[in-house]
Amino acid sequence: MAYIRSLHLTAFRNYGEAALGELETGPVVLYGANGAGKTNVLEAVSLLSPGKGMRGAKATEMQRLFTTPHPNPLPGGEREYNLTPSPRGGEGWGLSAEALAKADEGQGWTISAEIETQYGPARIGTGLDPATEKRLVRINGAPAKGQAALSEYLSCVWLTPQMDRLFLDAASSRRRFLDRLVFAFDAGHSGRTARFENAMAQRSKILRENSRPDPAWLDGLERTIAETGTAIAAARLEFCARLQQACDTAGQKEDQLFPRARLRIGGTLEELLTRSPALEVEDMYRYQLRDSRKADALTGGSATGPHKSDLIVAYAAKDMPAAQCSTGEQKALLIGIVLAHSRLIAAEKGAPPILLLDEIAAHLDKNRRAGLYSLLSALGGQVWMTGTDRGLFDALAPYDPQMFAVDSGHIAPQRSKTARSAGNF
């Protein structure tokens, strides 16, 4: 089972320097006022898995501060600093001498963690390279070729308050949600979507900027688009079928608390794949791209492909589209999907993912909160949760949570770690 034993942040968001240590599997709770930095910690954990993290932000937007020498040096040659927050910084610098020295040297933010895996301990980290403004990854002290290397160590799944509108937002939001779920299950999915998006962007640029583009060049790009696009659609279909099975096998207690979802994917390629072999679908997609070049040159894109698909969700017991359900029902459906996804990963990979649940208890009644905590205990694994009020987590007491108070970029443990009961988290 993979979990984080310690976490260290430097110059990240509203943290000058912060550390959490002696962590175990089970619930890790961060509580404090809005804006204190709770979600920033969850975002940091999410960046220990491949991708842009739970906020989808650019690497440069996460930089904590910039330092410049003060125009009037202190007596004796000592240096004073002007500390300027990044656009999304916050209050409470809390810089150590080492962190200040790193900032003075022009180093970017860093996130590092000691983790336990089924193969033993490991050290993983990621951070901003100020020279290139790109995110770098290190595994056991050595540079990694890319973020995909992180998938061999940690898998993270998250829920945030912004996702509460998932069923009401545009289809693009549900596609991103679905692709994150697929990626946690199938690490190759990220590479496929990146290749598809890159080829589509190149094709659109050629069609837009060239009145008589080279047909051979377009043929090559459209072959890549057809191959990767069909593979993306096939991966989504296969995953959705497995996720539906996980939803259908939920226990009675879970069904009562978080209603069962009915899932399907709406899209041209997905529908073609249900009745034709993948190679035939690739050919049809490639012919369609070639025939639509003139129209796509005007629109700047393509009317068909996995970039137009949608995850369609319904409340199974009521046979009601999720978009027509109440706000509470939508939240419950979303939690049920994430729990099913976690069970699926645990069954396939032998260990559940790390769950990041931001403000998860805020809009759940007392009974549903207690039920959720019980289900998380049965799932096992490490679960990070945030909330404004410590009392929201009273029902976690039987599961021996690790509690941390967060205040203006400072994190303080609120209880000593005790032995955990067998079978609980």
Side-chain angles (χ1 to χ4, degrees), residues 11 18 33 46 62 66 91 105 133 136 155 168 181 183 295 298 342 355 371 400 425:
S46 74
M62 305 173 199
F66 306 95
E91 299 299 325
E105 293 169 3
E133 296 190 344
L136 304 178
S155 178
L168 302 177
L181 298 184
F183 182 51
L298 297 175
S342 299
L355 282 175
D400 196 22
F425 277 103

Side-chain angles (χ1 to χ4, degrees), residues 150-166:
L150 293 169
S151 65
E152 300 178 15
Y153 296 86
L154 286 185
S155 178
C156 295
V157 178
W158 55 81
L159 270 180
T160 69
Q162 290 72 29
M163 294 166 64
D164 289 350
R165 288 187 51 83
L166 182 71

Side-chain angles (χ1 to χ4, degrees), residues 87-131:
R88 300 186 183 184
E91 299 299 325
W93 298 106
L95 285 174
S96 68
E98 181 182 3
L100 186 59
K102 288 181 178 180
D104 185 43
E105 293 169 3
Q107 296 186 17
W109 56 265
T110 61
I111 302 166
S112 60
E114 295 179 351
I115 65 173
E116 288 289 340
T117 75
Q118 58 182 327
Y119 307 109
R123 291 180 294 114
I124 62 176
T126 187
L128 173 68
D129 179 359

Side-chain angles (χ1 to χ4, degrees), residues 75-371:
E78 294 178 321
R79 302 185 71 184
E80 189 174 277
Y81 296 86
N82 291 325
L83 301 184
T84 305
S86 66
R88 300 186 183 184
E91 299 299 325
W93 298 106
L95 285 174
S96 68
E98 181 182 3
L100 186 59
K102 288 181 178 180
D104 185 43
E105 293 169 3
Q107 296 186 17
W109 56 265
T110 61
I111 302 166
S112 60
E114 295 179 351
I115 65 173
E116 288 289 340
T117 75
Q118 58 182 327
Y119 307 109
R123 291 180 294 114
I124 62 176
T126 187
L128 173 68
D129 179 359
T132 63
E133 296 190 344
K134 292 183 179 180
R135 181 179 157 208
L136 304 178
V137 172
R138 297 180 72 86
I139 307 291
N140 291 323
K145 290 184 178 180
Q147 297 176 25
L150 293 169
S151 65
E152 300 178 15
Y153 296 86
L154 286 185
S155 178
C156 295
V157 178
W158 55 81
L159 270 180
T160 69
Q162 290 72 29
M163 294 166 64
D164 289 350
R165 288 187 51 83
L166 182 71
F167 304 124
L168 302 177
D169 285 343
S172 57
S173 296
R174 290 183 291 280
R175 279 196 303 274
R176 287 193 296 270
F177 172 72
L178 173 62
D179 284 337
R180 283 197 301 269
L181 298 184
V182 177
F183 182 51
F185 183 76
D186 173 9
H189 190 66
S190 178
R192 290 190 290 268
T193 55
R195 289 193 298 273
F196 176 82
E197 291 170 359
N198 182 56
M200 284 288 289
Q202 290 185 56
R203 177 178 180 268
S204 295
K205 183 177 181 181
I206 292 171
L207 291 175
R208 185 174 62 252
E209 297 180 356
N210 297 274
S211 57
R212 302 179 70 179
D214 182 354
W217 195 355
L218 285 174
D219 285 344
L221 286 173
E222 289 168 357
R223 185 177 300 108
T224 298
I225 292 170
E227 290 174 355
T228 56
T230 302
I232 289 168
R236 287 173 177 170
L237 278 175
E238 181 183 5
F239 171 79
C240 192
R242 293 190 179 190
L243 183 59
Q244 183 65 68
Q245 185 176 14
C247 290
D248 292 343
T249 55
Q252 183 178 2
K253 179 179 180 180
E254 183 172 334
D255 271 348
Q256 292 173 347
L257 295 168
F258 305 106
R260 189 176 309 181
R262 187 171 64 243
L263 311 168
R264 70 179 181 88
I265 302 175
T268 302
L269 293 185
E270 288 83 0
E271 294 193 10
L272 287 172
L273 283 167
T274 62
R275 55 178 184 269
S276 301
L279 289 177
E280 289 185 14
V281 175
E282 282 183 24
D283 289 340
M284 287 186 279
Y285 189 17
R286 189 170 65 252
Y287 295 148
Q288 189 275 331
L289 288 167
R290 185 184 60 190
D291 291 343
S292 66
R293 287 174 183 174
K294 289 184 179 180
D296 293 345
L298 297 175
T299 62
S302 175
T304 301
H307 59 299
K308 297 293 184 180
S309 302
D310 193 4
L311 174 64
I312 301 170
V313 180
Y315 186 153
K318 292 186 175 182
D319 194 25
M320 178 184 294
Q324 297 178 15
C325 294
S326 69
T327 301
E329 289 172 334
Q330 290 180 14
K331 180 79 170 185
L333 281 167
L334 195 53
I335 293 174
I337 291 172
V338 169
L339 290 174
H341 181 236
S342 299
R343 288 197 306 274
L344 179 61
I345 291 179
E348 295 286 340
K349 296 188 175 183
I354 290 180
L355 282 175
L356 307 174
L357 307 177
D358 192 21
E359 300 290 349
I360 189 64
H363 302 294
L364 299 179
D365 60 41
K366 183 178 179 179
N367 290 335
R368 191 164 277 177
R369 283 200 302 270

